Amino acid sequence: MRVSSFIAAALLQASVTWSSPVETDDLVARGASKRPNHPIKPHHPGKPFPVSPARTKTCTVKTYGNGKDDSKNVLSAIKSCNNGGHVVFSKGKTYTIGTALDLTFLKHIDLDVQGTIKFTNDTDYWQANAFKQVFQNATTFFQLGGEDVNVYGGGTFDGNGQVWYDLYAKNNLILRPILFGTIGLKSGRIEDLNLRYSPQWYNLVANSTNVVFSDISISGYSSSSNVAKNTDGWDTYRSDNIVIQNSHIDNGDDCVSFKPNSTNIVVQNLICNGSHGISVGSLGQYKGEVDIVKNIYTYNVSMSNASDGARIKVWPGVSSALSADLQGGGGLGAVSNITYDGMVLSNVDYAIEITQCYGQKNLTLCNEFPSNLTISDVTIKNFVGTTSKKYDPLVGYLVCSSPTVCNDINIQNVTVKSPSGTNQYACANIDGIDSQVNCKKVA
Ligand SMILES: *[C@@H]1O[C@H](CO)[C@@H](O)[C@H](O)[C@H]1NC(C)=O
Ligand SMILES: *[C@@H]1O[C@H](CO)[C@@H](O)[C@H](O)[C@H]1NC(C)=O
Ligand SMILES: *[C@@H]1O[C@H](CO)[C@@H](O)[C@H](O)[C@H]1NC(C)=O
Ligand SMILES: *[C@@H]1O[C@H](CO)[C@@H](O)[C@H](O)[C@H]1NC(C)=O
Ligand SMILES: *[C@@H]1O[C@H](CO)[C@@H](O)[C@H](O)[C@H]1NC(C)=O
Ligand SMILES: *[C@@H]1O[C@H](CO)[C@@H](O)[C@H](O)[C@H]1NC(C)=O
Ligand SMILES: *[C@@H]1O[C@H](CO)[C@@H](O)[C@H](O)[C@H]1NC(C)=O
Ligand SMILES: *[C@@H]1O[C@H](CO)[C@@H](O)[C@H](O)[C@H]1NC(C)=O
Ligand SMILES: *[C@@H]1O[C@H](CO)[C@@H](O)[C@H](O)[C@H]1NC(C)=O
Ligand SMILES: *[C@@H]1O[C@H](CO)[C@@H](O)[C@H](O)[C@H]1NC(C)=O
Ligand SMILES: *[C@@H]1O[C@H](CO)[C@@H](O)[C@H](O)[C@H]1NC(C)=O
């Protein structure tokens, strides 16, 4: 189809209704959800979040049904309602998406997802067409960006992950799309949504500022023997002033992960189950690149059935290989001003894990080439609960590659015990750490 006729056809498919500029009740009467606007509390990253003006028109997305690709319907409704509108994905309906949608042109728009948005299982199409986000070979089904965008409505994004879990088990070099790509978004709120069966990470938040995620439910397990892998809840990258709060995450990798250049972020009131913890990193993966993670506040997290509670993972000064599709080391940069305040742990392998030897099990080798990525001003406090049996008598692992690149680590009021009642930590290369925790020196 030619572009002009495509747009004409698309415009015809959107049902556009205009309303008076005075919004809310009128829109709600016609099936639109009210904006949730969950307050950011109790912590706040410090910078203000711009006010999002009320929207003045509504567009309802049509659906063909029967699994036919609704992407044109979605795009046309969004185009009709961009710059001041409210797009409704109706309750009870399933919208099939079989086309990679570039939604980085959004401006002053609300996406009111009450129904289900389900991505097709065409793994060949998505591998060829999902948006490449460069970092860690990440790709996304869609990219949502622009300015002043809100997504809410109580509905579901379904990544149809099973085909991907099974395919990845056969070939771990395939590129599995991330369910929700927030890319280049300047100001927005993503609230009251269910994210299900992501092929890989659930959220990538990249090149974004002033974005709040609140009241999100994340879950999705494999129904075959092939485990759903790398299903991080959120990964932030090159992003500033971000809040992630009031959410429940059942997954199989990092609950939240702060990747390079994540700054001024608050994570609070989360229930994480089955994850790899709240992680800074991995950082320093790419030789010569400068990674910065600073001003992070993590508060009130319940962490169950996880490999870690608080985790900071940095690659060593020279390259190493963790697995066929994960290798790195030699990067530069700094991790600083990181606080983990309040965590309740249950069946977690390590309550705290700080490593500057990520990907390198040979600590002698790691110490020969200390990381050029410093870790400083880290506070971990008010943790309670019990670890798993896995490393008993150890409850944590605090291993830097040299004291010169790792300092001002403060562990306070952490009373976590192992199932056998011990509270021992593996320690190396952190000055003063043995006066804070019960250390067992390694390397
Ligand atoms: C993919 O989805 C189609 C349509 O929903 C279905 O007929 C087909 O069985 C699915 N393929 C796989 C491998 O699950
Ligand atoms: C972010 O912006 C940079 C610079 O404009 C660009 O190179 C990159 O591809 C963008 N996306 C991501 C995910 O980094
Ligand atoms: C990216 O994917 C390519 C091809 O699958 C692979 O060779 C490379 O190691 C991957 N890079 C990372 C950082 O995972
Ligand atoms: C901690 O988070 C839980 C939900 O995850 C919430 O119910 C509780 O109110 C929060 N507590 C505080 C003190 O904010
Ligand atoms: C919590 O995680 C465990 C272990 O990963 C899993 O078996 C269990 O089903 C999860 N619970 C929920 C409610 O998803
Ligand atoms: C991260 O920030 C540092 C310092 O500003 C910069 O040198 C580096 O290029 C940035 N990295 C990315 C991936 O944007
Ligand atoms: C450290 O981070 C917190 C937020 O977590 C922020 O309030 C504080 O200003 C930061 N301190 C410095 C010195 O930047
Ligand atoms: C942790 O896993 C166990 C066993 O799978 C499960 O019974 C429990 O509910 C999980 N905890 C949470 C908080 O989901
Ligand atoms: C670890 O690295 C050191 C230094 O290169 C080497 O001498 C030693 O054999 C290595 N240990 C193992 C178990 O590979
Ligand atoms: C990084 O660290 C390695 C090993 O510790 C060192 O050989 C190298 O010169 C450093 N690179 C930079 C750019 O500082
Ligand atoms: C230690 O942490 C626990 C659990 O968060 C908290 O209830 C208690 O008030 C803390 N104690 C101090 C002295 O901060």
Side-chain angles (χ1 to χ4, degrees):
M1 207 189 296
R2 281 182 13 256
V3 173
S4 56
S5 59
F6 171 80
I7 291 171
L11 285 174
L12 280 176
Q13 275 155 1
S15 87
V16 182
T17 36
W18 294 83
S19 73
S20 72
V22 190
E23 188 207 1
T24 326
D25 292 342
D26 193 29
L27 291 190
V28 171
R30 282 183 283 116
S33 308
K34 239 183 185 153
R35 272 207 199 140
N37 262 317
H38 297 290
I40 298 168
K41 69 171 195 191
H43 292 275
H44 192 288
K47 299 184 191 176
F49 288 85
V51 170
S52 177
R55 311 306 185 208
T56 55
K57 64 176 176 178
T58 306
C59 306
T60 302
V61 184
K62 292 197 164 164
T63 174
Y64 295 124
N66 297 320
K68 191 164 174 243
D69 186 6
D70 288 312
S71 299
K72 275 196 290 188
N73 297 334
V74 171
L75 213 47
S76 61
I78 285 178
K79 284 186 173 157
S80 306
C81 251
N82 206 18
N83 285 296
H86 182 130
V87 176
V88 178
F89 296 76
S90 305
K91 196 169 180 147
K93 291 197 171 161
T94 295
Y95 298 82
T96 301
I97 304 297
T99 308
L101 294 178
D102 185 356
L103 305 177
T104 49
F105 61 90
L106 302 186
K107 206 164 184 185
H108 308 304
I109 188 169
D110 285 13
L111 306 183
D112 178 359
V113 182
Q114 301 174 27
T116 295
I117 292 177
K118 187 165 186 173
F119 296 88
T120 59
N121 62 12
D122 186 344
T123 51
D124 290 337
Y125 171 81
W126 290 112
Q127 286 200 77
N129 294 285
F131 296 100
K132 294 195 162 55
Q133 307 297 351
V134 187
F135 178 71
Q136 284 194 343
N137 283 342
T139 67
T140 58
F141 278 127
F142 62 90
Q143 42 189 13
L144 180 137
E147 196 188 327
D148 180 21
V149 181
N150 304 304
V151 189
Y152 52 87
T156 300
F157 285 75
D158 183 338
N160 222 336
Q162 192 62 49
V163 283
W164 295 98
Y165 311 147
D166 293 335
L167 193 61
Y168 185 70
K170 288 192 204 127
N171 177 2
N172 68 5
L173 292 181
I174 63 160
L175 300 180
R176 297 157 292 159
I178 290 164
L179 182 56
F180 202 109
T182 303
I183 312 293
L185 178 59
K186 308 288 172 236
S187 179
R189 283 174 169 268
I190 322 288
E191 302 172 291
D192 292 342
L193 295 173
N194 303 299
L195 307 184
R196 297 288 180 263
Y197 305 105
S198 182
Q200 221 222 133
W201 301 348
Y202 279 86
N203 287 279
L204 170 63
V205 185
N207 285 356
S208 295
T209 52
N210 307 333
V211 183
V212 178
F213 292 86
S214 192
D215 296 74
I216 305 292
S217 158
I218 287 178
S219 181
Y221 290 97
S222 173
S223 54
S224 73
S225 59
N226 302 315
V227 175
K229 289 201 174 143
N230 311 109
T231 52
D232 296 12
W234 281 266
D235 282 81
T236 60
Y237 178 64
R238 302 174 58 127
S239 291
D240 183 62
N241 208 35
I242 308 291
V243 173
I244 297 169
Q245 65 173 16
N246 309 346
S247 296
H248 193 141
I249 302 96
D250 285 303
N251 71 338
D253 207 311
D254 295 331
C255 189
V256 180
S257 179
F258 311 104
K259 301 292 196 218
N261 297 7
S262 294
T263 51
N264 301 302
I265 300 184
V266 165
V267 169
Q268 58 193 349
N269 308 336
L270 300 190
I271 300 173
C272 305
N273 173 48
S275 79
H276 291 179
I278 309 283
S279 300
V280 173
S282 65
L283 302 179
Q285 184 173 2
Y286 300 106
K287 193 171 160 52
E289 284 191 22
V290 179
D291 296 345
I292 306 290
V293 174
K294 66 173 182 188
N295 305 344
I296 307 284
Y297 206 99
T298 294
Y299 176 75
N300 184 29
V301 172
S302 151
M303 184 67 68
S304 308
N305 300 315
S307 69
D308 295 270
R311 187 181 197 192
I312 298 176
K313 45 182 176 177
V314 169
W315 291 83
V318 287
S319 33
S320 55
L322 196 59
S323 61
D325 60 342
L326 191 57
Q327 36 208 283
L332 310 151
V335 174
S336 67
N337 192 18
I338 313 292
T339 305
Y340 287 91
D341 175 6
M343 193 177 285
V344 179
L345 301 100
S346 155
N347 192 31
V348 173
D349 299 341
Y350 278 141
I352 304 169
E353 180 174 5
I354 297 178
T355 177
Q356 257 175 343
C357 299
Y358 189 62
Q360 180 54 268
K361 287 210 175 81
N362 186 336
L363 296 185
T364 314
L365 202 55
C366 174
N367 296 347
E368 274 175 31
F369 302 99
S371 181
N372 293 311
L373 204 148
T374 61
I375 300 178
S376 64
D377 193 4
V378 175
T379 300
I380 297 172
K381 61 184 181 186
N382 307 332
F383 280 26
V384 298
T386 45
T387 57
S388 72
K389 283 188 299 207
K390 184 159 183 185
Y391 301 114
D392 194 339
L394 296 178
V395 298
Y397 186 88
L398 308 168
V399 174
C400 285
S401 52
S402 159
T404 59
V405 290
C406 202
N407 51 63
D408 201 5
I409 312 286
N410 306 287
I411 299 178
Q412 303 156 359
N413 191 28
V414 170
T415 60
V416 178
K417 294 249 163 71
S418 72
S420 70
T422 58
N423 64 352
Q424 205 170 52
Y425 292 74
C427 302
N429 295 318
I430 304 175
D431 285 343
I433 197 68
D434 44 3
S435 67
Q436 302 180 36
V437 298
N438 178 15
C439 275
K440 178 190 177 210
K441 272 210 156 43
V442 295

